[in-house]
Amino acid sequence: KKGHWIEQGGYLDKEPPKPETSILVREVYRNEETGEVTLKLTPQNGDKVYYEINGDATSASLEVKNLNEFKTSELSLSFLCVDSSGEHDTGSLVYWKNKVRVQYDTFDKDGMKQIELKSSPNVVIKYTTDGSSPKESGGIYEGVFEIPKGTKFVQAVAVNEELGIYSDVIQIPIKEDKIEINKDKPLVLN
């Protein structure tokens, strides 16, 4: 229990190997507008943490200076924990992926319904207006567009296909601005 001896293959080893380094990565804050995330990094059996953007971290990568408040808007990072004293062997990389989401705003301009889409962090947005899946058959969002008449909803997804990062597909209901008048009933104003 104290780690002085260890059982391996039915034999007791009086000098078990020291555990490898590792790192715990925890998200402590997310800015939903920008996609910037604050991470808390807790090294295990090591004292230095290195990171790499969209690749594998090594001891030649950038060193994390503030383990309690590591801020990033990157989509994909890897972390490596190293014991500078050499007492513990360097363990495996830890990979972290940011979450992306789609935000939207619908409005009227010159009597036509318009929609603006935004992703945080900023990645490609695919969308459809015909009910089909935006992942498979969506058009690439390039700016505010007019919603075609008769559209019941717009579906959108934020993607970075190279890194395999996808937001949840959002379904934006589009309401017709029609006032139904029943000629058989009098109009009552409150």
Side-chain angles (χ1 to χ4, degrees), residues 105-115 147 175 177:
D105 184 27
T106 58
F107 56 93
D108 289 328
K109 182 178 179 185
D110 301 327
M112 303 302 295
K113 286 218 176 277
Q114 307 274 319
I115 190 165
I147 300 169
K175 295 182 179 146
D177 289 338

Side-chain angles (χ1 to χ4, degrees), residues 106 113-115 147-148 151-154 172-176:
T106 58
K113 286 218 176 277
Q114 307 274 319
I115 190 165
I147 300 169
T151 299
K152 302 288 185 211
F153 54 87
V154 173
I172 306 157
I174 306 302
K175 295 182 179 146
E176 295 281 331

Side-chain angles (χ1 to χ4, degrees), residues 1 21 29 58 78 87 115 124 140 145 147 158:
K1 287 183 179 180
T21 63
Y29 176 74
T58 68
S78 66
E87 188 176 334
I115 190 165
V124 171
I140 304 294
F145 67 92
I147 300 169

Side-chain angles (χ1 to χ4, degrees), residues 1-14:
K1 287 183 179 180
K2 292 183 179 181
H4 298 297
W5 294 359
I6 189 169
E7 182 184 347
Q8 286 184 318
Y11 296 96
L12 287 180
D13 188 349
K14 291 182 181 180

Side-chain angles (χ1 to χ4, degrees), residues 28-135:
V28 292
Y29 176 74
R30 172 180 296 277
N31 182 325
E32 296 296 346
E33 290 297 313
T34 64
E36 182 180 73
V37 178
T38 303
L39 300 174
K40 178 175 178 147
L41 307 170
T42 308
Q44 307 286 304
N45 304 312
D47 57 345
K48 295 197 178 287
V49 176
Y50 300 94
Y51 72 98
E52 191 69 44
I53 300 166
N54 300 334
D56 292 343
T58 68
S59 57
S61 298
L62 294 170
E63 185 177 350
V64 175
K65 298 295 181 196
N66 187 345
L67 295 171
N68 291 318
E69 290 185 14
F70 180 76
K71 295 179 189 268
T72 184
S73 293
E74 297 297 336
L75 293 174
S76 176
L77 296 172
S78 66
F79 295 98
L80 180 69
C81 181
V82 174
D83 179 8
S84 63
S85 72
E87 188 176 334
H88 298 273
D89 289 341
T90 301
S92 301
L93 292 170
V94 172
Y95 295 92
W96 175 84
K97 286 188 178 182
N98 203 342
K99 296 177 189 131
V100 292
R101 68 181 273 235
V102 177
Q103 300 167 327
Y104 66 92
D105 184 27
T106 58
F107 56 93
D108 289 328
K109 182 178 179 185
D110 301 327
M112 303 302 295
K113 286 218 176 277
Q114 307 274 319
I115 190 165
E116 180 178 15
L117 302 172
K118 178 184 168 194
S119 68
S120 61
N122 190 18
V123 294
V124 171
I125 299 174
K126 295 171 111 181
Y127 73 95
T128 60
T129 59
D130 63 0
S132 61
S133 169
K135 279 185 182 178

